[in-house]
């Protein structure tokens, strides 16, 4: 059964969201609550059931899980359009027209480019925490959308940095304005 689950990250107490997506042919089934009109209308392909989107800005990170064709990318693209700040996509299967004008890295299975993006993100986290130490509290939001996280985590080129990047980002990034949206086919995003 499709589901949205909120869970607490044990290390930080942050609240994260997980959306289980299914339906096929671009149909997405989301359970719970009603759509908040202040967030904006979902694309027609996502309107089978509604979810209270008003809390998405408060969540540290989001995972979207579903089978091929279930609408994970469509949902992530819409979520990205609702979030403020810079948005960067890592997508090894990118095709022209995907991600509606967002910056995409890793196209053509370029795992090395994704590994560099992950390292640059860790470096930015370090820079921001040094600025926070000096009193800075407000940072430009950055949303990192990572498609096919399971493949990226398993590829020899990106596996090592991914093992460092994911736990550090999940545990530490929210306070400095960095958010993850992870897309995968199953438990690999947990």
């Amino acid at each position: 059964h499709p589901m949205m689950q909120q869970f607490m990250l044990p290390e930080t107490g942050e609240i994260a969201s997980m959306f289980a997506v299914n339906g096929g042919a671009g149909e997405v089934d989301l359970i719970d609550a009603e759509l908040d009109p202040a967030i904006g209308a979902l694309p027609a392909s996502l309107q089978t059931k509604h979810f209270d989107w008003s809390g998405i800005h408060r969540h540290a990170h989001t995972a979207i899980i579903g089978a091929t064709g279930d609408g994970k990318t469509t949902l992530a693209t819409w979520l990205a359009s609702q979030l403020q700040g810079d948005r960067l996509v890592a997508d090894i299967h990118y095709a022209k027209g995907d991600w509606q004008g967002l910056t995409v890295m890793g196209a053509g299975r370029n795992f090395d480019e994704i590994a560099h993006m992950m390292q640059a993100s860790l470096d930015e986290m370090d820079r921001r925490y040094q600025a926070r130490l000096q009193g800075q509290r407000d940072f430009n939001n950055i949303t990192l959308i990572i498609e096919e996280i399971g493949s990226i985590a398993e590829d020899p080129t990106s596996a090592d940095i991914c093992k460092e990047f994911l736990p550090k980002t999940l545990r530490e990034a929210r306070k400095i304005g960095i958010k993850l949206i992870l897309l995968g086919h199953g438990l690999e995003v947990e």
Side-chain angles (χ1 to χ4, degrees):
H1 184 72
M3 61 185 271
M4 180 276 183
Q5 177 183 4
Q6 293 182 342
F7 55 95
M8 185 176 294
L9 298 173
E11 297 82 4
T12 64
E14 301 292 333
I15 301 296
S17 303
M18 182 180 300
F19 301 93
V21 179
N22 92 17
E27 179 182 319
V28 177
D29 215 0
L30 303 172
I31 63 170
D32 275 340
E34 295 180 6
L35 180 65
D36 182 342
I39 300 296
L42 283 167
S45 64
L46 300 181
Q47 292 185 358
T48 58
K49 290 187 182 177
H50 299 293
F51 167 74
D52 180 4
W53 295 99
S54 62
I56 198 67
H57 304 286
R58 293 187 306 268
H59 297 181
H61 308 290
T62 304
I64 305 171
I65 301 168
T68 301
D70 278 350
K72 296 180 302 293
T73 302
T74 301
L75 178 57
T77 301
W78 182 82
L79 284 172
S81 75
Q82 302 303 303
L83 298 171
Q84 306 235 337
D86 297 326
R87 291 143 315 169
L88 180 63
V89 177
D91 186 353
I92 57 174
H93 299 152
Y94 171 79
K96 187 176 179 178
D98 291 350
W99 298 108
Q100 303 174 6
L102 297 174
T103 301
V104 178
M105 302 184 77
R109 300 188 79 241
N110 189 339
F111 292 98
D112 188 54
E113 188 173 52
I114 291 173
H116 283 28
M117 182 269 302
M118 289 179 173
Q119 183 60 58
S121 297
L122 289 172
D123 294 344
E124 178 64 10
M125 279 180 54
D126 290 342
R127 187 196 69 74
R128 287 180 178 214
Y129 269 109
Q130 287 303 309
R132 192 171 194 265
L133 181 64
Q134 301 301 315
Q136 184 175 345
R137 295 282 186 209
D138 294 322
F139 297 94
N140 181 46
N141 291 327
I142 299 173
T143 300
L144 303 172
I145 303 165
I146 304 179
E147 174 80 86
E148 302 291 346
I149 188 62
S151 297
I152 293 166
E154 291 174 358
D155 187 84
T157 307
S158 52
D160 287 341
I161 189 65
C162 194
K163 286 176 188 169
E164 179 182 2
F165 167 81
L166 283 176
K168 283 185 178 179
T169 305
L170 288 169
R171 290 180 185 131
E172 302 177 34
R174 184 203 49 90
K175 288 185 179 183
I176 53 169
I178 299 174
K179 177 183 182 75
L180 287 178
I181 299 176
L182 303 174
L183 287 75
H185 292 283
L187 298 177
E188 72 238 17
V189 300
E190 290 184 13

